[in-house]
């Protein structure tokens, strides 16, 4: 927001009689020394604000206020108007200005209010309060302050600018134009006000007036690049590619050293959907100056806006290479990796960035999110812990720490951090989920499983004597076998996929084998053997596939033989890597509610895709097969009819008691196609179980 750039002159000799009274605790000499300190620190703070160094300015202004409080301790808790010299007022007013410039409008309002309690008041003080209220979206109150400033000084241009911005934000564009006109009558050279007036015309739909005003600006300042840039925004609004190209080319010719033209041109082409033109402009600009970092961040932003997160990473990485210590560049790259589900790269990059940059919580937060997705819960806790060290009021990071502890079944820590989150924000959904989950975990194991079954079992309407059978789980001293027997009796008779694992079977299932996926580079063929869909199978697959050079020239083989499935989200994330922007699958629960999985626009293309299946290929493996076959036109399924499991399971696990209960709780389909009991029929049948016989089809 605009601010009048003038300092209230502090004349230390203008000391009120009351300050020199006999009851004053300071000698005249001491008081003069303190007043000199106020004047000196206030002046330094003001000069620093003028240079845009707000943090350092606040340091000096705070010192000025400290000396004011020594001079007059009653001002510490001032709650009523009092008349004092400008010496006692100016630092508070300048602090309001500095905090407003830092976008800390709460602080800006606090110091503006204090400044206004010290009389007499000036128009500048009312403008500062108006700017703080504007920043807090308290528009009606801000207008009152701006009008008060104008009543004291009718030529206070900042007040008119503030009113113009409020009217613009409220879509009252003609009123905004009127205020900007008044402002420009007081400062005819201000580019920001000119630009806002043009935006107001464009938002009114009056492109002709906007263009006329822009051309008038150029006539008045024919060598000022900013006037041409403003006209470019009007040309962009027409959406005519030929006009945009012609105008930007003329700008480049007139201002050959102004690299910002290319940035604006790239944004303009993207805005009208001409991504190829944007890429061409970028390529031309990089040849001219490959060190101009805004080119890379602009392209990264454009790709991110189009959900092409993986492509965006490449550009953000260029910015990081130019300036490794720029926190925003690192955050941009980290965010793109996270949104693109490149969790392994995200976690590794985040750990590196976090060691050298730690002024905002974003790096620690995104790193924690990626580690959480990788089920690296201790690492995620450390990351979120760093975030709350930076910002102790970060309720979301506390909540995520609580969730990670819950996954580790450290319920005491989970409860501790959920409470910390809720103390900061009572409606934090993650923290409330953790809190409720802990309360459930305090119940006997049988009661927990009984509730789990009732909440999640898809076929419970078909279960015989549901209430009577589940009542057995309310009994005390149940063994794992007792629980398994109850689940066996209560499930639907022909339900093969609801069962209990405990004891040795539990131990075998939870042992990390590390053999969920392997990759072989066979020259023109990229061969993946996927044995199961575990929690991190998708991350490993993504990491491997990202390393394949020129994938569009290669054949992809996905060997899913004997793969009985696993995590549906793992399969969906792998579909995301290989498919454009589609709904990869839909999950439907017992109430008929749906949960859609989406792929973003980023995807890796192969010349041809072969999927190897057999009668043991089931569930998540069938989802991957059906998703690729449905949405790509270069997929061939080779082998035998798949198993036909069109349902998925929810799992209850208690690590301490070494028990897992699997219950069917949703149907799944791909574009309304469910393969329950029918399976997927291959395009080419293979009777043999030998891989060589399957690969003969690939090599044909």
């Amino acid at each position: 927001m605009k601010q009048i750039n003038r300092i209230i002159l502090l004349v230390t000799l203008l000391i009120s009689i009351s300050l020199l009274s006999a009851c004053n605790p300071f000698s005249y000499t001491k008081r003069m020394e303190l007043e000199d300190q106020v004047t000196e620190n206030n002046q330094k703070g003001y000069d620093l604000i003028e240079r845009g160094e707000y943090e350092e300015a606040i340091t000096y202004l705070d010192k000025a206020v400290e000396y004011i409080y020594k001079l007059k301790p009653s001002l510490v808790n001032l709650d009523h108007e009092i008349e004092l010299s400008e010496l006692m007022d100016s630092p508070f007013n300048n602090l309001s200005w500095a905090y407003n410039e830092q976008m800390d409008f709460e602080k800006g309002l606090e110091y503006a209010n204090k400044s206004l309690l010290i009389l007499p008041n000036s128009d500048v003080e009312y403008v500062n309060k108006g700017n703080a209220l504007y920043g807090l979206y308290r528009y009606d109150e801000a207008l009152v302050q701006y009008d008060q400033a104008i009543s004291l000084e009718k030529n206070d241009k900042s007040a008119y600018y503030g009113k113009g911005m409020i009217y613009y934000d409220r879509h009252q564009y003609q009123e905004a134009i009127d205020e900007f006109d008044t402002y420009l009558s007081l400062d005819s050279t201000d580019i920001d006000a000119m630009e806002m007036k043009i935006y107001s015309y464009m938002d009114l739909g009056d492109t002709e007036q906007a263009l006329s005003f822009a051309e008038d600006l150029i006539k008045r300042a024919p060598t000022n690049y900013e006037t041409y840039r403003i006209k470019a925004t009007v040309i962009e609004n027409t959406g005519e590619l030929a006009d945009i190209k012609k105008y930007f080319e003329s700008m480049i010719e007139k201002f050959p050293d102004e690299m910002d033209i290319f940035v604006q041109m790239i944004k303009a082409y993207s805005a009208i959907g001409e991504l190829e033109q944007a890429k061409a402009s970028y390529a031309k600009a990089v040849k001219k100056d490959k060190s101009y970092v805004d080119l890379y961040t602009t392209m990264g932003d454009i790709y991110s806006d189009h959900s092409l997160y993986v492509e965006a990473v490449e550009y953000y990485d260029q910015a990081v290479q130019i300036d490794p210590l720029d926190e925003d560049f690192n955050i941009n790259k980290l965010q793109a990796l996270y949104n693109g589900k490149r969790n392994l790269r995200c976690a590794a990059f985040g750990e590196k960035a976090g060691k050298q940059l730690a002024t905002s919580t974003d790096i620690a937060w995104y790193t924690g999110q990626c580690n959480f997705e990788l089920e690296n819960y201790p690492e995620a806790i450390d990351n979120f812990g760093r975030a709350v060290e930076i910002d102790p009021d970060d309720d979301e990071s506390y909540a995520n720490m609580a969730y990670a502890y819950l996954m580790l079944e450290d319920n005491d820590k989970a409860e501790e951090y959920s409470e910390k989150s809720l103390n900061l924000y009572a409606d934090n959904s993650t923290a409330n989920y953790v809190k409720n989950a802990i309360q459930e975990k305090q119940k006997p194991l049988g009661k927990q499983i009984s509730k789990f079954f009732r909440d999640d079992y898809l076929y419970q309407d078909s279960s015989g004597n549901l209430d009577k059978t589940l009542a057995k789980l309310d009994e005390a001293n149940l063994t794992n076998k007792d629980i398994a027997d109850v689940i066996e009796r209560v499930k639907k008779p022909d339900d093969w996929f609801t069962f209990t694992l405990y004891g040795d079977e539990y131990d075998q299932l939870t042992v990390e084998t590390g053999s969920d996926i392997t990759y072989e580079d066979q020259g023109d063929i990229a061969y993946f053997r996927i044995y199961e869909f575990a929690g991190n199978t998708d991350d490993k697959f993504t990491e491997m596939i990202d390393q394949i050079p020129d994938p569009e020239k290669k054949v992809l083989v996905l060997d899913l033989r004997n793969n009985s499935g696993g995590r549906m989200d793992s399969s969906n994330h792998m579909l995301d890597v290989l498919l454009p922007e589609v709904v990869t699958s839909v999950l439907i629960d017992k109430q008929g509610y749906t949960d859609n999985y989406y792929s973003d626009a980023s995807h890796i293309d192969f010349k041809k895709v072969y999927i190897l299946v057999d009668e043991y290929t089931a569930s998540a493996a069938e989802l991957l097969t059906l998703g690729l076959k449905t949405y790509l036109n270069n997929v061939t399924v080779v082998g035998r009819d798949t198993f036909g499991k069109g349902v998925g399971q929810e799992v209850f696990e208690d690590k301490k008691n070494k028990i897992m209960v699997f219950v069917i709780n949703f149907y799944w389909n791909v574009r309304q196609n469910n393969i329950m009991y029918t399976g997927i029929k291959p395009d080419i049948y293979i009777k043999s179980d030998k891989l060589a016989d399957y690969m003969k089809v690939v090599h044909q």
Side-chain angles (χ1 to χ4, degrees), residues 546-606:
D546 279 344
Q547 305 304 315
I548 298 174
D550 301 321
E552 68 282 355
K553 299 177 182 178
K554 294 179 180 289
V555 172
L556 174 64
V557 176
L558 301 175
D559 189 346
L560 302 179
R561 294 172 303 143
N562 289 295
N563 185 325
S564 60
R567 296 275 288 268
M568 301 296 285
D569 56 350
S570 187
S571 180
N572 274 296
H573 293 163
M574 291 166 70
L575 285 171
D576 186 6
V577 173
L578 297 169
L579 293 179
E581 209 164 6
V582 298
V583 178
T584 59
S585 69
V586 178
L587 279 53
I588 308 165
D589 68 14
K590 65 179 183 177
Q591 279 89 25
Y593 292 115
T594 60
D595 187 8
N596 295 345
Y597 277 86
Y598 298 90
S599 61
D600 60 40
S602 293
H603 60 285
I604 297 174
D605 290 322
F606 286 85

Side-chain angles (χ1 to χ4, degrees), residues 72-86:
K72 197 164 183 63
S74 62
L75 294 183
V76 174
N77 297 310
L78 184 65
D79 59 0
H80 61 280
E81 291 183 343
I82 184 172
E83 190 162 346
L84 294 170
S85 69
E86 291 180 348

Side-chain angles (χ1 to χ4, degrees), residues 33-100:
E33 289 176 359
L34 291 173
E35 290 176 355
D36 285 345
Q37 288 291 343
V38 175
T39 303
E40 181 182 343
N41 283 287
N42 187 54
Q43 182 67 55
K44 286 180 179 178
Y46 177 89
D47 292 341
L48 287 164
I49 296 174
E50 288 273 76
R51 297 203 297 267
E53 299 174 29
Y54 308 119
E55 196 69 47
E56 193 173 355
I58 289 169
T59 301
Y60 282 103
L61 293 171
D62 281 339
K63 288 180 182 178
V65 168
E66 287 178 19
Y67 289 115
I68 286 175
Y69 288 155
K70 287 181 179 180
L71 283 164
K72 197 164 183 63
S74 62
L75 294 183
V76 174
N77 297 310
L78 184 65
D79 59 0
H80 61 280
E81 291 183 343
I82 184 172
E83 190 162 346
L84 294 170
S85 69
E86 291 180 348
L87 170 71
M88 310 295 277
D89 183 10
S90 181
F92 296 109
N93 186 44
N94 288 334
L95 274 168
S96 175
W97 177 17
Y99 278 115
N100 284 343

Side-chain angles (χ1 to χ4, degrees), residues 519-570:
Y519 167 64
E520 292 179 19
D521 181 354
Q522 300 180 0
D524 293 336
I525 297 173
Y527 172 83
F528 286 86
R529 181 67 190 266
I530 305 171
Y531 298 93
E532 63 174 328
F533 291 86
N536 293 335
T537 305
D538 53 329
D539 297 299
K540 296 174 186 176
F541 175 76
T542 303
E543 187 77 3
M544 294 170 182
I545 211 165
D546 279 344
Q547 305 304 315
I548 298 174
D550 301 321
E552 68 282 355
K553 299 177 182 178
K554 294 179 180 289
V555 172
L556 174 64
V557 176
L558 301 175
D559 189 346
L560 302 179
R561 294 172 303 143
N562 289 295
N563 185 325
S564 60
R567 296 275 288 268
M568 301 296 285
D569 56 350
S570 187

Side-chain angles (χ1 to χ4, degrees), residues 21 25 77 114 286 428 433 445 460 589 671 678:
S21 64
N77 297 310
K114 192 147 195 174
V286 168
N428 187 289
Y433 170 80
L445 181 60
Q460 63 180 262
D589 68 14
R671 209 158 65 183
T678 62

